[in-house]
PDB file of all heavy atoms in Angstrom:
ATOM      1  N   VAL A  76      21.025  11.457 -76.529  1.00  0.00           N
ATOM      2  CA  VAL A  76      21.305  12.703 -77.243  1.00  0.00           C
ATOM      3  C   VAL A  76      20.213  12.749 -78.253  1.00  0.00           C
ATOM      4  O   VAL A  76      20.215  12.177 -79.343  1.00  0.00           O
ATOM      5  CB  VAL A  76      22.725  12.643 -77.850  1.00  0.00           C
ATOM      6  CG1 VAL A  76      22.953  14.014 -78.490  1.00  0.00           C
ATOM      7  CG2 VAL A  76      23.806  12.366 -76.776  1.00  0.00           C
ATOM      8  N   GLU A  78      19.356  15.689 -79.929  1.00  0.00           N
ATOM      9  CA  GLU A  78      19.818  16.470 -81.093  1.00  0.00           C
ATOM     10  C   GLU A  78      21.280  16.574 -81.049  1.00  0.00           C
ATOM     11  O   GLU A  78      21.814  16.864 -79.999  1.00  0.00           O
ATOM     12  CB  GLU A  78      19.152  17.864 -81.038  1.00  0.00           C
ATOM     13  CG  GLU A  78      17.539  17.856 -81.269  1.00  0.00           C
ATOM     14  CD  GLU A  78      16.947  19.183 -81.269  1.00  0.00           C
ATOM     15  OE1 GLU A  78      17.660  20.210 -81.459  1.00  0.00           O
ATOM     16  OE2 GLU A  78      15.760  19.218 -81.028  1.00  0.00           O
ATOM     17  N   GLY A  79      21.853  16.511 -82.163  1.00  0.00           N
ATOM     18  CA  GLY A  79      23.310  16.711 -82.260  1.00  0.00           C
ATOM     19  C   GLY A  79      24.038  15.391 -82.087  1.00  0.00           C
ATOM     20  O   GLY A  79      25.383  15.428 -82.058  1.00  0.00           O
ATOM     21  N   PHE A  80      23.500  14.271 -82.121  1.00  0.00           N
ATOM     22  CA  PHE A  80      24.120  13.003 -81.908  1.00  0.00           C
ATOM     23  C   PHE A  80      25.315  12.793 -82.854  1.00  0.00           C
ATOM     24  O   PHE A  80      26.358  12.335 -82.424  1.00  0.00           O
ATOM     25  CB  PHE A  80      23.117  11.914 -81.989  1.00  0.00           C
ATOM     26  CG  PHE A  80      23.656  10.497 -81.818  1.00  0.00           C
ATOM     27  CD1 PHE A  80      23.896   9.995 -80.495  1.00  0.00           C
ATOM     28  CD2 PHE A  80      24.045   9.674 -82.895  1.00  0.00           C
ATOM     29  CE1 PHE A  80      24.436   8.639 -80.314  1.00  0.00           C
ATOM     30  CE2 PHE A  80      24.507   8.459 -82.729  1.00  0.00           C
ATOM     31  CZ  PHE A  80      24.757   7.928 -81.461  1.00  0.00           C
ATOM     32  N   TYR A  81      25.099  13.088 -84.123  1.00  0.00           N
ATOM     33  CA  TYR A  81      25.990  12.795 -85.087  1.00  0.00           C
ATOM     34  C   TYR A  81      27.282  13.692 -85.153  1.00  0.00           C
ATOM     35  O   TYR A  81      28.267  13.436 -85.760  1.00  0.00           O
ATOM     36  CB  TYR A  81      25.498  12.640 -86.481  1.00  0.00           C
ATOM     37  CG  TYR A  81      24.571  11.417 -86.619  1.00  0.00           C
ATOM     38  CD1 TYR A  81      23.161  11.588 -86.469  1.00  0.00           C
ATOM     39  CD2 TYR A  81      25.086  10.210 -86.587  1.00  0.00           C
ATOM     40  CE1 TYR A  81      22.329  10.469 -86.531  1.00  0.00           C
ATOM     41  CE2 TYR A  81      24.240   9.075 -86.686  1.00  0.00           C
ATOM     42  CZ  TYR A  81      22.875   9.250 -86.646  1.00  0.00           C
ATOM     43  OH  TYR A  81      22.056   8.141 -86.589  1.00  0.00           O
ATOM     44  N   SER A  82      27.174  14.803 -84.253  1.00  0.00           N
ATOM     45  CA  SER A  82      28.322  15.637 -84.114  1.00  0.00           C
ATOM     46  C   SER A  82      29.360  15.192 -83.110  1.00  0.00           C
ATOM     47  O   SER A  82      30.504  15.619 -83.078  1.00  0.00           O
ATOM     48  CB  SER A  82      27.884  17.051 -83.748  1.00  0.00           C
ATOM     49  OG  SER A  82      27.478  17.042 -82.458  1.00  0.00           O
ATOM     50  N   LEU A  83      29.001  14.236 -82.261  1.00  0.00           N
ATOM     51  CA  LEU A  83      29.826  13.689 -81.227  1.00  0.00           C
ATOM     52  C   LEU A  83      30.990  12.749 -81.818  1.00  0.00           C
ATOM     53  O   LEU A  83      30.791  12.324 -82.939  1.00  0.00           O
ATOM     54  CB  LEU A  83      28.921  12.817 -80.263  1.00  0.00           C
ATOM     55  CG  LEU A  83      27.883  13.648 -79.474  1.00  0.00           C
ATOM     56  CD1 LEU A  83      26.947  12.677 -78.736  1.00  0.00           C
ATOM     57  CD2 LEU A  83      28.562  14.680 -78.563  1.00  0.00           C
ATOM     58  N   ASN A  84      31.987  12.642 -81.043  1.00  0.00           N
ATOM     59  CA  ASN A  84      32.997  11.671 -81.414  1.00  0.00           C
ATOM     60  C   ASN A  84      32.299  10.178 -81.499  1.00  0.00           C
ATOM     61  O   ASN A  84      31.363  10.032 -80.884  1.00  0.00           O
ATOM     62  CB  ASN A  84      34.060  11.584 -80.344  1.00  0.00           C
ATOM     63  CG  ASN A  84      33.623  11.161 -78.988  1.00  0.00           C
ATOM     64  OD1 ASN A  84      32.647  11.805 -78.416  1.00  0.00           O
ATOM     65  ND2 ASN A  84      34.165  10.184 -78.382  1.00  0.00           N
ATOM     66  N   GLU A  85      32.790   9.343 -82.376  1.00  0.00           N
ATOM     67  CA  GLU A  85      32.272   8.031 -82.428  1.00  0.00           C
ATOM     68  C   GLU A  85      32.491   7.290 -81.163  1.00  0.00           C
ATOM     69  O   GLU A  85      33.486   7.346 -80.481  1.00  0.00           O
ATOM     70  CB  GLU A  85      32.873   7.265 -83.618  1.00  0.00           C
ATOM     71  CG  GLU A  85      32.272   7.676 -84.902  1.00  0.00           C
ATOM     72  CD  GLU A  85      32.718   6.759 -86.021  1.00  0.00           C
ATOM     73  OE1 GLU A  85      32.625   5.421 -85.815  1.00  0.00           O
ATOM     74  OE2 GLU A  85      33.136   7.143 -87.105  1.00  0.00           O
ATOM     75  N   PRO A 102      18.878   4.197 -79.861  1.00  0.00           N
ATOM     76  CA  PRO A 102      19.893   4.380 -80.897  1.00  0.00           C
ATOM     77  C   PRO A 102      20.812   5.560 -80.650  1.00  0.00           C
ATOM     78  O   PRO A 102      21.901   5.633 -81.029  1.00  0.00           O
ATOM     79  CB  PRO A 102      19.094   4.499 -82.194  1.00  0.00           C
ATOM     80  CG  PRO A 102      17.818   3.815 -81.984  1.00  0.00           C
ATOM     81  CD  PRO A 102      17.580   4.031 -80.491  1.00  0.00           C
ATOM     82  N   GLU A 103      20.260   6.594 -79.970  1.00  0.00           N
ATOM     83  CA  GLU A 103      21.036   7.806 -79.659  1.00  0.00           C
ATOM     84  C   GLU A 103      21.617   7.800 -78.294  1.00  0.00           C
ATOM     85  O   GLU A 103      21.961   8.894 -77.821  1.00  0.00           O
ATOM     86  CB  GLU A 103      20.145   9.008 -79.919  1.00  0.00           C
ATOM     87  CG  GLU A 103      19.719   9.211 -81.394  1.00  0.00           C
ATOM     88  CD  GLU A 103      18.574   8.426 -81.761  1.00  0.00           C
ATOM     89  OE1 GLU A 103      17.807   7.982 -80.837  1.00  0.00           O
ATOM     90  OE2 GLU A 103      18.375   8.124 -82.985  1.00  0.00           O
ATOM     91  N   ALA A 113      31.442  18.511 -79.753  1.00  0.00           N
ATOM     92  CA  ALA A 113      32.194  19.034 -81.032  1.00  0.00           C
ATOM     93  C   ALA A 113      31.632  20.478 -81.159  1.00  0.00           C
ATOM     94  O   ALA A 113      31.637  21.288 -80.232  1.00  0.00           O
ATOM     95  CB  ALA A 113      31.836  18.204 -82.183  1.00  0.00           C
ATOM     96  N   GLU A 115      28.554  21.416 -82.593  1.00  0.00           N
ATOM     97  CA  GLU A 115      27.066  21.591 -82.550  1.00  0.00           C
ATOM     98  C   GLU A 115      26.474  21.609 -81.142  1.00  0.00           C
ATOM     99  O   GLU A 115      26.998  20.940 -80.270  1.00  0.00           O
ATOM    100  CB  GLU A 115      26.478  20.477 -83.373  1.00  0.00           C
ATOM    101  CG  GLU A 115      26.730  20.578 -84.881  1.00  0.00           C
ATOM    102  CD  GLU A 115      25.840  19.513 -85.576  1.00  0.00           C
ATOM    103  OE1 GLU A 115      24.752  19.170 -85.093  1.00  0.00           O
ATOM    104  OE2 GLU A 115      26.360  18.961 -86.631  1.00  0.00           O
ATOM    105  N   LEU A 117      23.791  20.486 -78.417  1.00  0.00           N
ATOM    106  CA  LEU A 117      23.174  19.223 -78.163  1.00  0.00           C
ATOM    107  C   LEU A 117      21.944  19.347 -77.298  1.00  0.00           C
ATOM    108  O   LEU A 117      21.858  20.360 -76.499  1.00  0.00           O
ATOM    109  CB  LEU A 117      24.198  18.318 -77.316  1.00  0.00           C
ATOM    110  CG  LEU A 117      25.611  18.082 -77.903  1.00  0.00           C
ATOM    111  CD1 LEU A 117      26.475  17.392 -76.933  1.00  0.00           C
ATOM    112  CD2 LEU A 117      25.475  17.336 -79.338  1.00  0.00           C
TER     113      LEU A 117
END
Side-chain angles (χ1 to χ4, degrees):
V76 182
E78 293 180 24
F80 179 82
Y81 292 104
S82 71
L83 298 170
N84 61 306
E85 280 192 47
E103 294 81 23
E115 287 186 34
L117 304 174

